[in-house]
């Protein structure tokens, strides 16, 4: 069913991209490994997919357990080509984060963190850099009112922007800001962009919030179809007209005729293809945004590299996703059923951005 038309130029470009992606899936080079080092967090965000809290019933993973995984990987491939992303929860909740990072760095792996910035101080940033931190991502979900609404803390905006300013001052550090756009923030994006530029931000990624975790039934967080289109137009326009900051839409989903205009590349979900993860309980997964159980093993009983090379079939052959709204969709050949994080345990799609985009 030709429900979603594409221009000829875009279709030809997507066909070339699709062939390249088929080869990438066949080779599945591990390029990014997330480590969910803690489920503790110093915030209580409305949209948290992990339902993190200050205290967690799941203890932090001992760094030695994760380092054994890295030894396993380093024996099979060049560690310099596998980027470690330390995530949570909030990584800064770990007092030994610098020890973890330094040990990762000594094994030859570049690493970075994803943080809400609340606990970042100049002293902490310096110690992280000394431990070999290459990159950082800071979450900022709007201007002060909108961000604090999302994060549930009146100091959150102030601390996050302070963290961003600290990172701007570190010329050797690569960092970006990510924003989860919701119904409260969609009309403030121009002002937020100018604020980010004023404090030195060069890279900005925009996300939409999918219905999982605490966001599953929160209607204030889900954009309408008109707002989805508004967001795409905002990104498309600014990528063309404003060279002061580079804006990318996230890997949330395939966006039809906006593909090629909203990211540095066409849509691809790299979960299980070039992206793996070690979750807090040792489960071997892919993108940590995936909350359904598509885990492929566990580091406490399985060899990580063997799992990476020989499992991940649900990620690398996604024909099983041709159900529901995907069954007859003419865009399936390009989106492969959208991101894995949009599927529940039974394989049902939770949300289709392309469908939302075309609704009246």
């Amino acid at each position: 069913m030709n429900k979603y038309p594409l221009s000829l130029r875009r279709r030809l470009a997507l066909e070339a991209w699709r062939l390249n992606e088929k080869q990438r899936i066949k080779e599945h080079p591990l390029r990014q490994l997330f480590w969910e080092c803690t489920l503790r967090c110093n915030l209580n965000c409305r949209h948290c997919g992990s339902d993190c809290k200050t205290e967690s019933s799941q203890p932090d993973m001992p760094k030695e357990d994760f380092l054994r995984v890295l030894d396993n990987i380093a024996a099979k491939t060049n560690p310099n080509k596998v980027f470690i992303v330390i995530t949570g929860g909030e990584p800064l909740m770990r007092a030994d984060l610098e020890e973890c990072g330094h040990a990762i760095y000594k094994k030859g792996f570049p690493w970075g963190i994803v943080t809400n910035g609340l606990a970042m101080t100049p002293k902490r940033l310096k110690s992280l850099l000394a431990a070999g931190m290459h990159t950082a991502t800071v979450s900022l979900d709007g201007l002060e009112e909108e961000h604090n609404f999302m994060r549930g803390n009146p100091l959150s905006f102030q601390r996050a922007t302070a963290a961003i300013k600290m990172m701007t001052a570190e010329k050797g550090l690569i960092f970006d800001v990510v924003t989860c756009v919701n119904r409260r923030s969609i009309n403030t994006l121009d002002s937020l962009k100018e604020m980010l530029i004023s404090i030195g931000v060069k890279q900005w990624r925009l996300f939409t919030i999918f219905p999982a975790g605490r966001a599953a039934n929160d209607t204030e967080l889900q954009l309408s179809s008109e707002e989805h289109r508004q967001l795409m137009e905002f990104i498309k326009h600014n990528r063309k007209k404003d060279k002061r900051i580079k804006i990318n839409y996230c890997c949330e989903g395939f966006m039809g005729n906006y593909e090629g205009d909203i990211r540095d590349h066409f849509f691809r979900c790299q979960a299980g293809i070039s992206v793996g993860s070690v979750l807090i309980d040792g489960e071997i997964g892919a993108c940590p945004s995936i909350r359904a159980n598509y885990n492929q093993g566990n580091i406490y009983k399985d060899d990580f590299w063997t799992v990476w090379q020989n499992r991940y079939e649900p990620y690398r052959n996604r024909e099983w996703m041709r159900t529901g709204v995907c069954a007859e969709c003419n865009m399936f050949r390009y989106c492969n059923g959208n991101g894995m994080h949009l599927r529940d345990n039974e394989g049902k799609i939770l949300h289709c951005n392309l469908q939302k985009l075309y609704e009246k």
Side-chain angles (χ1 to χ4, degrees), residues 59-73:
D60 295 354
M61 179 181 287
K63 70 178 186 298
E64 293 78 12
D65 296 353
F66 182 66
L67 293 175
R68 280 194 291 271
V69 174
L70 297 189
D71 288 337
N72 176 244
I73 294 170

Side-chain angles (χ1 to χ4, degrees), residues 34-50:
F34 285 88
W35 178 30
E36 189 179 57
C37 71
T38 183
L39 285 184
R40 293 181 295 134
C41 188
N42 47 15
L43 289 176
N44 187 34
C45 303
R46 294 180 70 101
H47 61 308
C48 181
S50 304

Side-chain angles (χ1 to χ4, degrees), residues 299-357:
I299 65 167
Y300 294 113
K301 62 179 182 179
D302 298 305
D303 177 88
F304 179 91
W305 191 256
T306 299
V307 171
W308 178 258
Q309 290 292 71
N310 301 315
R311 299 188 193 175
Y312 285 90
E313 183 65 15
Y315 294 88
R316 296 170 187 166
N317 181 357
R318 301 191 184 184
E319 284 298 312
W320 63 270
M321 289 186 174
R322 285 187 186 267
T323 60
V325 297
C326 298
E328 302 296 330
C329 181
N330 63 310
M331 293 295 104
F332 188 91
R333 67 190 289 108
Y334 306 126
C335 79
N336 282 310
N338 269 306
M340 285 287 291
H341 65 288
L342 297 175
R343 298 279 165 168
D344 65 14
N345 283 323
E346 285 70 49
K348 181 181 177 182
I349 192 166
L350 301 172
H351 174 76
C352 175
N353 279 321
L354 185 63
Q355 184 182 45
K356 190 80 172 179
L357 191 66

